[in-house]
Amino acid sequence: MPKGYVILTEAIRDQAGMDAYSRAATPSMVEANASVLAVDAEPEVLEGRWHGDRTVVLEFESVEAARRWYESAAYARAQPLRQAAAETNAVLVAGFEMPPRRA
């Protein structure tokens, strides 16, 4: 079963509001066994346009686990704080496992 990843790009309008969101969202991420793989204020854009001031990549044990976290009551309490403080794009993607090499 592939891992699940939630990727958020955030155009922050209110840093204090985002700090409050982080404090409110962290317990839900811990409860869901999420790993924060990246938080970057200045990603290097290799092609095209990138949205926002900050990019966050969260890893979950599966796509289903990521969806459960995003739809959880615990995260639902934090989400309005983020929505008030930033314009965000969020996607859920499945990890990819390379097939084994044949000898």
Side-chain angles (χ1 to χ4, degrees):
M1 174 180 311
K3 292 188 177 197
Y5 298 89
V6 174
I7 303 168
L8 302 108
T9 60
E10 304 164 335
I12 299 169
R13 296 185 300 265
D14 173 10
Q15 186 57 54
M18 287 302 288
D19 294 343
Y21 160 74
S22 293
R23 288 190 300 275
T26 296
S28 72
M29 289 185 272
V30 170
E31 184 178 312
N33 293 317
S35 296
V36 179
L37 297 184
V39 177
D40 196 339
E42 296 182 32
E44 181 180 353
V45 178
L46 301 175
E47 289 188 38
R49 298 173 134 197
W50 199 251
H51 165 266
D53 309 300
R54 180 168 57 193
T55 300
V56 179
V57 180
L58 304 175
E59 180 184 65
F60 296 83
E61 65 185 45
S62 67
V63 169
E64 293 77 17
R67 188 175 293 109
R68 279 193 307 272
W69 166 75
Y70 189 79
E71 295 174 351
S72 71
Y75 184 63
R77 289 188 292 274
Q79 197 173 30
L81 296 170
R82 178 182 47 76
Q83 291 169 336
E87 177 187 319
T88 304
N89 292 326
V91 296
L92 170 58
V93 297
F96 179 78
E97 296 177 17
M98 291 290 290
R101 291 180 110 185
R102 293 186 189 197

